[in-house]
Each structure stands twice: as structure tokens, then as C-alpha cells.
Amino acid sequence: MAEKNLTCFKKWDRSWSMTFEKPYIKWFRRQAECFIQLPGPSYQYSDEDKAAIIWEADDGSYKTYTYQQLFMEVNRFANVLKKNGIKRGDAVTIYLPMIPELAISMLACSRIGAIHSIVFGGFSATALRDRIQELSVEALHYL
């Protein structure tokens, strides 16, 4: 799977290695020489109609985002963040359950260079408060 989705200048030696003597696992040696190509405004992505996210709810309903739809949603939310004064280096806390909008929010923060801290929706108010205070958060995204 990695060979299909990563573009590498030099191929890794091994995909992973581990030892049982002490807890030690290392993934993708020479990984810094690989990158993932994601769709961008000046890049025609050949698989834009393929599913990027397939999410299934507890009730069995599901939602699918293609790469093109994901790209559009990430840009839309990145613009919402920018219009609300969030800029590169600002901290944003994302307090959402495991829904597609969590990934969209995270990717939008990355797109504009904002630091993001994810607090999953099941965490307590105290845990949320502590994370907000630790980062001096500029914005909180919640549902």
C-alpha cells in the first residue's frame, strides 16, 4: 500500500523493525525522503472521484467524501478559520466526536498553518479546559 501512495526518492530499507528485548519499533527507515501527493489548486488529481473518507455512523448510515469533495470541504473550513482571524501559528482546539468533520477541521488547520489540538468528544470538560489553557488557544471548534 505504501508503494502505491507514497512518492519516494529513495526506497526504505524495511517497512518496519522491532525487538522483543525492549519495547522498540521503528517504521519506514529513511521516511523523510518520501512524500504523499495530495490534490491542490494547480494539480490535477487523477483519482479525484475515488473515496477519500468512508464514514459509518452507529445507526448504520454512512457518508462518503471523494478526494475532490474533501479538498473542497477542507478549503471551505480553512476560509472560515481565516475569516475568523485564525492565522499561521495560532492554536485551535478541535472538540468533536469521531466524524468526518474532525478530519476536515484538522486538515484545514494544517492548510493555513494553525497548530491544532484534538480533544475527542468523549473527554471531560476538565480535560478540555486543561488542553485549552496549555496551548493558549485562539479558537475552539466543537459540535
Side-chain angles (χ1 to χ4, degrees), residues 9 40-41 51 56 62 65 77 87 97 134:
F9 300 106
E56 184 175 347
Y62 67 93
Y65 287 90
F77 192 64
K87 58 191 178 311
E134 285 174 12

Side-chain angles (χ1 to χ4, degrees), residues 17 36 75 82 109 122:
S17 61
I36 300 172
N75 284 329
K82 288 191 289 188
C109 287

